[in-house]
Amino acid sequence: MDYQWYPGHMTKARRMMQENIGLVDLVIELCDARIPLSSRNPDIDALAQNKARILLMTKADMADPARTALFQRYFEEKGFMVIPIDARTRKANEKIRAYVEKACAAKRERDRRRGIIGRPLRAMVVGIPNVGKSTFINSFAGKASAKTGNKPGVTRGKQWIRLNKNLELLDTPGILWPRFEDRQVGVRLALTGAIRQELLEEQELSLELLDYLQKEYPALVTGKYAPAEGDAQWELPMDNAALLSRIAQARNLLRTGGEPDYQRAAKMVLDDFRNGKTGRITLETPPAGGNDRE
Ligand code: G4P
């Protein structure tokens, strides 16, 4: 199995962040609520040192709510202000705005003492590809947003999106590539669609998913894939390949000759998960010992 590394993109993203971090008051980081650990890039902690930090757990609508609550507490204990969101809606906007103000209260107070009043707060939005940065910015900024143009001291061409008189977002989101030197991290990123499909074979990936689901969410697997007419042999856990074969049969995904079509079954299982059709699933649990990569 090959885990492609993206040194070029990574260097560019780091440089972009390093160049701009001094211009912002806070960093709004996005992670995928279904894989909150694997979808965070650990470098950001160093890059965003001394900045106010808000962590938005996107795609919370597809994640297991009980696990999301556990992760929220886990990250809060690490000092983040955390909000689980469905980035496609505007439901959390008020709360996010309130958190932004809270996160930057000390900054506002410093400004006030220096006689600077009404200076908008500036935020940088960062996250790995596909985590929902554009979706979030669109929902959060909405129609009210307007590009404010170049500012003195800011690299030419850089745009700020003015949300209101209090808040501006740097419009180039900081794209951080995930770290997937750990095999499981790579698998989870491929399962959620954060890294390209070809990196891991669909069948192999679907077996990884079924393995996890059988252990952690067996009722969802049965509810989704057990044949309607009942199957005396359907008892989880079973061998993952056998389960894929059963699923293919139950859904009539057969090749000429009646053999199960593993490829189509694998694709269906993956698509169902990615589209949230299998149920609300989270692929990780907060580590007990505080190590982010367990
Ligand atoms: P990016 O800028 O960070 O790369 O991510 P982007 O906003 O493009 O979002 C990637 C996909 O994830 C989009 O789906 C978007 O609708 C979806 N998405 C983002 N946030 C949420 C969320 O909170 N909940 C749900 N359910 N979906 C979310 P897409 O346009 O269909 O793209 P794709 O899935 O085909 O890649």
Side-chain angles (χ1 to χ4, degrees):
M1 223 182 286
D2 176 33
Y3 301 112
Q4 206 169 319
W5 179 236
Y6 298 85
H9 290 90
M10 193 66 185
T11 312
K12 208 169 149 211
R14 277 184 67 100
R15 203 181 313 126
M16 181 264 163
M17 279 194 70
Q18 267 158 353
E19 279 169 11
N20 294 294
I21 199 85
L23 303 173
V24 301
D25 304 305
L26 88 152
V27 172
I28 300 177
E29 180 187 353
L30 276 56
C31 73
D32 185 327
R34 297 166 302 169
I35 50 166
L37 303 176
S38 296
S39 61
R40 290 194 66 226
N41 180 300
D43 291 345
I44 190 188
D45 288 333
L47 287 164
Q49 242 175 6
N50 307 322
K51 295 288 167 188
R53 304 281 296 278
I54 292 179
L55 182 65
L56 302 179
M57 299 176 68
T58 59
K59 313 198 183 187
D61 52 294
M62 293 198 278
D64 174 346
R67 298 259 184 107
T68 301
L70 290 178
F71 270 112
Q72 182 166 359
R73 204 174 321 139
Y74 169 76
F75 287 121
E76 280 170 353
E77 278 167 11
K78 286 181 172 283
F80 290 92
M81 301 180 92
V82 185
I83 311 178
I85 61 167
D86 174 348
R88 297 165 309 167
T89 76
R90 312 184 68 174
K91 280 190 216 144
N93 283 4
E94 277 313 305
K95 192 168 184 182
I96 298 169
R97 282 203 191 94
Y99 272 39
V100 167
E101 282 300 323
K102 206 163 143 192
C104 297
K107 172 85 187 163
R108 278 250 188 269
E109 178 56 23
R110 270 201 307 279
D111 276 2
R112 199 187 59 76
R113 272 192 263 116
R114 290 189 199 142
I116 305 167
I117 292 169
R119 187 182 72 76
L121 295 169
R122 288 172 175 176
M124 183 191 285
V125 179
V126 302
I128 65 168
N130 214 36
V131 75
K133 290 179 299 297
S134 324
T135 308
F136 160 68
I137 290 172
N138 284 338
S139 305
F140 193 55
K143 289 202 185 80
S145 69
K147 300 262 167 92
T148 58
N150 297 334
K151 302 235 162 171
V154 176
T155 316
R156 249 181 89 76
K158 195 157 290 132
Q159 299 281 325
W160 295 85
I161 302 171
R162 168 163 284 196
L163 267 74
N164 53 46
K165 62 182 181 7
N166 293 323
L167 184 61
E168 291 180 356
L169 294 183
L170 185 62
D171 90 332
T172 317
I175 297 163
L176 288 175
W177 286 95
R179 283 210 174 151
F180 40 99
E181 68 274 10
D182 170 343
R183 182 178 182 280
Q184 275 309 315
V185 172
V187 167
R188 290 169 195 155
L189 289 162
L191 284 173
T192 55
I195 58 173
R196 279 178 313 165
Q197 185 86 40
E198 311 88 86
L199 295 183
L200 291 162
E201 286 234 11
E202 274 182 338
Q203 278 189 43
E204 192 179 347
L205 208 50
S206 73
L207 294 180
E208 293 276 356
L209 179 61
L210 290 175
D211 188 60
Y212 187 83
L213 295 184
Q214 289 205 74
K215 287 182 190 137
E216 302 283 335
Y217 297 98
L220 292 183
V221 178
T222 297
K224 182 78 183 160
Y225 298 117
E229 64 277 12
D231 177 351
Q233 312 276 301
W234 185 280
E235 196 177 326
L236 302 185
M238 65 174 99
D239 175 73
N240 296 312
L243 177 57
L244 189 62
S245 163
R246 287 286 166 76
I247 291 172
Q249 283 159 358
R251 292 302 177 87
N252 215 17
L253 300 174
L254 306 172
R255 295 157 72 91
T256 34
E259 285 294 301
D261 189 333
Y262 288 103
Q263 190 55 36
R264 276 165 69 208
K267 186 166 173 8
M268 178 187 69
V269 166
L270 291 173
D271 285 347
D272 285 345
F273 167 72
R274 288 188 184 130
N275 298 326
K277 287 188 188 153
T278 316
R280 296 182 66 171
I281 292 162
T282 299
L283 299 177
E284 298 178 327
T285 42
N291 177 354
D292 266 11
R293 293 287 155 184
E294 272 169 15

